[in-house]
Amino acid sequence: MARFLVTGGAGYVGSHVVLALVERGDEVVVLDDLRQGHRAAVPAGTELVVADLANRARLAEVFAGWKFDGVLHFAALSLVGESMRDPLRYLSENLNNTINVADAAVKAGCLRFVLSSTAALFGFPERVPIDETATLLPASAYGESKLMAERALDWAGRVHGLRSAALRYFNAAGADPGGRLGEDHDPETHLIPLAINAALGLGPELTVFGTDYPTPDGTCIRDYVHVMDLADAHLRVMDKLCAGGPSVRYNVGNGSGYSVRQVIDTVERVTGLKVPHRIGPRRPGDPAVLVASNARLRAETGWAPRYPELDDIVRTAHAWRAAHPQGYGDRGAAAQAA
Ligand code: UFG
């Protein structure tokens, strides 16, 4: 049994990772400011520290209070569009918070660190599938902030011996197949939950952002990867770090792409409901095709997706939302937490 600190562990990807760790018998301390996270997403019996990562004194206290075998850092601003309206906030908050967590970890002698990173590092890629040797050229301040965070960890590695794994997610989607956790963002900006909400009558009709891309049906193609498969990747890379492995960088996706139209068709087939939608203009900053090469992750960690089918991704996402029409039902809780 090991003990891990998970920042952002009450958020979407973080909470699924916490569940996977707890289920295999690890001890977890979640640190989350609950601005986006949900108290109800933290398993009963798991310690939740409600704190802001800007608060270095509080971070030092947390590291003094527990001895951690490693840190998994999810907490971040993560909206591409918002990052282009307020780039300096994204660069400042995401970089500084990563530095604060890494610095507290190094000072406490905790030298294993997993970072939640993103395919946004690659901007408009020259070729797909995208492997780890592709040029790092973010097209958004969000992507840039994660690249800077990765680079900060590189320096902490060179100078302080911090060993880090950065996982560059493609499109995280789906929900715990056991129905305990799901995706509940405010605002929601992601395609699959928006399509499901539209189908269930819980949200407005979906707008398809552009049908004039150079793809077979004219809509953008993305690599949707099940959040439990993402969770599995985190456990594997942390285990490698705990076994003495070096710093690594991995792209995490299914390795196959689906268009926006294919996603809509799948939601309709899986739910038996129509997805009300209309065609709109392109969304600025959207590349036509983003698909991962997961070859390095597979070869070096033995990872393979257990839920590679879009049907399963949509089915689990739909099941949770249908059972939780109000999500975790804590809208406004963030204001109280603050
Ligand atoms: N889309 C629509 N209508 C919507 C929302 C999305 O047509 O209302 C389309 C987008 O244009 C895109 C696809 O659906 O082609 C997926 O869009 P998402 O917003 O769900 O996801 P993104 O691919 O834009 O973003 C994801 C992650 C980001 C990450 C990025 C990397 O959510 O964190 O991939 O490029 F930065």
Side-chain angles (χ1 to χ4, degrees):
M1 194 201 84
R3 183 187 293 135
F4 297 109
L5 177 67
V6 182
T7 75
Y12 173 47
V13 180
S15 64
H16 284 80
V17 172
V18 170
L19 185 63
L21 288 167
V22 168
E23 286 207 310
R24 73 173 193 179
D26 287 330
E27 189 186 331
V28 175
V29 175
V30 171
L31 196 161
D32 200 300
D33 65 5
L34 299 181
R35 268 187 301 172
Q36 280 290 327
H38 308 277
R39 198 177 284 275
V42 178
T46 295
E47 185 82 22
L48 168 64
V49 178
V50 180
D52 186 330
L53 294 179
N55 187 342
R56 296 168 69 108
R58 188 80 185 90
L59 267 173
E61 271 171 30
V62 170
F63 276 93
W66 287 276
K67 186 162 171 37
F68 297 113
D69 294 287
V71 179
L72 300 104
H73 176 47
F74 295 91
L77 301 171
S78 64
L79 298 177
V80 173
E82 185 181 65
S83 83
M84 298 305 278
R85 292 189 292 278
D86 206 351
L88 299 181
R89 175 170 168 236
Y90 266 67
L91 296 173
S92 163
E93 197 168 308
N94 286 353
L95 177 60
N96 283 315
N97 287 350
T98 303
I99 289 174
N100 289 348
V101 178
D103 186 50
V106 164
K107 286 185 174 139
C110 171
L111 297 176
R112 302 163 189 137
F113 197 107
V114 176
L115 175 71
S116 167
S117 190
T118 171
L121 256 56
F122 300 109
F124 292 84
E126 293 144 359
R127 57 181 193 280
V128 285
I130 304 168
D131 67 23
E132 290 81 359
T133 65
T135 307
L136 299 172
L137 197 59
S140 66
Y142 168 64
E144 185 70 39
S145 73
K146 290 286 185 170
L147 180 55
M148 288 162 66
E150 287 197 13
R151 291 203 168 135
L153 296 180
D154 288 339
W155 282 103
R158 284 167 70 166
V159 177
H160 300 300
L162 183 81
R163 284 175 296 112
S164 65
L167 297 181
R168 288 108 174 229
Y169 316 153
F170 282 63
N171 291 65
D176 165 36
R180 294 159 291 184
L181 300 172
E183 182 168 10
D184 184 8
H185 291 118
D186 184 22
E188 187 52 78
T189 63
H190 296 121
L191 177 63
I192 290 179
L194 287 175
I196 289 171
N197 286 348
L200 291 169
L202 297 169
E205 73 174 347
L206 181 72
T207 301
V208 175
F209 294 147
T211 54
D212 59 349
Y213 284 94
T215 60
D217 68 19
T219 65
C220 286
I221 292 177
R222 293 289 181 273
D223 182 330
Y224 298 92
V225 55
H226 198 286
V227 66
M228 290 312 299
D229 287 329
L230 274 184
D232 181 39
H234 288 80
L235 270 52
R236 286 171 186 271
V237 298
M238 181 53 92
D239 288 347
K240 297 270 279 191
L241 294 176
C242 288
S247 292
V248 286
R249 304 288 180 259
Y250 293 123
N251 295 353
V252 194
N254 265 319
S256 52
Y258 293 93
S259 72
V260 174
R261 281 197 199 280
Q262 286 176 306
V263 169
I264 293 172
D265 290 347
T266 305
V267 171
E268 293 192 338
R269 189 162 35 73
V270 166
T271 65
L273 300 167
K274 282 281 164 215
V275 176
H277 64 277
R278 65 179 193 90
I279 307 303
R282 290 186 178 195
R283 181 172 66 177
D286 270 342
V289 183
L290 286 177
V291 176
S293 163
N294 55 31
R296 186 191 283 183
L297 178 68
R298 283 178 185 264
E300 294 186 6
T301 72
W303 178 87
R306 277 177 294 171
Y307 307 99
E309 300 298 329
L310 188 58
D311 277 34
D312 292 329
I313 291 172
V314 168
R315 187 173 298 113
T316 53
H318 170 248
W320 190 79
R321 180 50 68 171
H324 302 85
Q326 305 306 320
Y328 287 103
D330 56 0
R331 292 275 168 264
Q336 286 166 25

